[in-house]
């Protein structure tokens, strides 16, 4: 349920609504939009009556949220969510571009690629220190050492870091370094991790599970928002289908579907989505044309030597060529890239 109030509603009236919600054993969430203030209600809302709230001062409207997800839904918040990270935004006019290798492989490797990406103008670097690999014999990441190197990248180049958190035990260490916590496809339904990541208050990049529906993705995001952490960036990264000519099937349908049902920003990871480097530029362009809020791209200085996902990684030169094309496309869909 959502209680709609005016932006000019007196604080006393807002508190009265919240008190009533708490008294009825539900949880109020204050959400300020551009023209209205909403009090989203979660918990056993089936016990609530619309009339109980309609009578309260400054209440304009009481709306039942019909979706299973509540805080994530557009019914709860009409305006697009724009996430600010220092001077950067996700979900605004400026497209969010995050690039980097799949993994932190060594100090030299990450510093070298960070330097090259910084030269190109990138503000957010991606790289995993903890890697979820299908085979237990594959490179599992440099773990804590990898985090140390990422900290060095931040200190030396001023880049913001997006890195994956695999479990709750390493969450505090990853949170120290990450500017955005990545929760990967395989962990999209690790509800304990979602709750604890939400509690850090850090922005979370939540990747769609490879066999998850869009509704599953939105329900997972709800776990994070329910901790009063609204800084969630959704990420379409391809799903499993019967098609075998690409690693995954990049489901660009997810973008308009998410935009209709949710106020959260959604970006696209075409690297994992197709799994083959030469298909990445076409799908990056398609994602932006379909109104994605940004891209997560794997870029490696020597893809043929990469310890993970080299085959889907662009070289810095290929990445720069793609960026130039994206810069031309962006204004067509009312966006910009000012790297
Ligand atoms: C990654 O970003 O390197 C990664 C492991 O992604 P996903 O969880 O989408 O497979
Ligand atoms: Mn990868």
């Amino acid at each position: 349920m959502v209680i709609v109030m005016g932006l000019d509603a007196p604080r006393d009236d807002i508190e009265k609504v919240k008190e009533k919600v708490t008294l009825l054993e539900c949880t109020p969430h204050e959400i300020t939009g551009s023209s209205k203030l909403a009090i989203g209600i979660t918990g056993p809302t089936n016990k609530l009556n619309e009339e109980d709230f309609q009578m309260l001062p400054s209440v304009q409207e009481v709306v039942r949220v019909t979706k299973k997800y509540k805080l994530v839904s557009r019914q709860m918040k009409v305006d697009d969510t724009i996430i600010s990270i220092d001077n950067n935004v996700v979900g605004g006019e400026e497209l969010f571009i995050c690039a980097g290798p799949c993994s932190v492989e060594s100090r030299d490797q990450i510093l070298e690629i960070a330097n090259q990406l910084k030269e190109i103008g990138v503000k957010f670097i991606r790289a995993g220190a903890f890697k979820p690999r299908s085979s237990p014999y594959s490179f599992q990441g440099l773990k804590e050492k990898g985090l140390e190197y990422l900290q060095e990248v931040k200190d030396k180049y001023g880049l913001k870091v997006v890195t994956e958190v695999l479990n709750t035990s390493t969450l505090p260490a990853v949170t120290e370094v990450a500017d955005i916590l990545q929760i990967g496809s395989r962990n999209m339904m690790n509800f304990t991790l979602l709750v604890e990541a939400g509690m850090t208050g850090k922005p979370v990049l939540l990747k769609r599970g490879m066999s998850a529906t869009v509704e599953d993705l939105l329900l997972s995001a709800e776990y994070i928002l329910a901790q009063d952490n609204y800084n969630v960036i959704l990420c379409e990264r391809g799903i499993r289908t019967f098609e075998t000519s690409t690693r995954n099937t990049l489901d660009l349908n997810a973008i308009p579907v998410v935009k209709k049902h949710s106020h959260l920003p959604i970006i696209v990871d075409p690297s994992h989505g197709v799994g083959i480097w030469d298909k990445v530029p076409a799908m990056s362009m398609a994602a932006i044309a379909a109104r994605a809020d940004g891209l997560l791209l794997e870029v490696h200085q020597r893809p043929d030597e990469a310890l993970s996902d080299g085959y889907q990684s662009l070289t810095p030169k290929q990445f720069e060529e793609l960026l130039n094309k994206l810069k031309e496309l962006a204004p067509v869909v009312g966006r910009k890239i000012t790297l």
Side-chain angles (χ1 to χ4, degrees), residues 54-126:
Q54 266 150 2
M55 314 303 275
L56 296 178
S58 301
V59 170
Q60 295 178 351
E61 207 185 346
V62 180
V63 184
R64 278 258 172 220
V65 178
T66 46
K67 301 282 180 204
K68 281 197 236 165
Y69 43 85
K70 307 290 176 193
L71 301 171
V72 158
S73 116
R74 270 248 190 244
Q75 287 175 295
M76 197 68 94
K77 181 170 180 270
V78 178
D79 305 320
D80 287 341
T81 286
I82 300 178
I83 299 170
S84 298
I85 303 163
D86 291 336
N87 294 325
N88 308 282
V89 292
V90 189
E93 189 190 357
E94 179 79 30
L95 289 170
F96 173 74
I97 304 291
C98 176
C102 181
S103 309
V104 182
E105 300 170 0
S106 69
R107 181 173 177 275
D108 287 351
Q109 173 255 4
I110 197 67
L111 287 175
E112 182 187 1
I113 189 69
N115 183 28
Q116 292 178 15
L117 292 170
K118 171 88 186 176
E119 288 288 305
I120 295 171
V122 165
K123 310 247 172 26
F124 288 84
I125 188 169
R126 58 142 296 145

Side-chain angles (χ1 to χ4, degrees), residues 102 126 131-132 164 182 184-186 207 237 272 298:
C102 181
R126 58 142 296 145
K131 292 305 301 178
E164 179 160 355
Q182 177 174 322
S185 192
R186 292 155 190 82
K207 297 185 102 180
R237 50 77 71 204
H272 291 85
E298 287 190 335

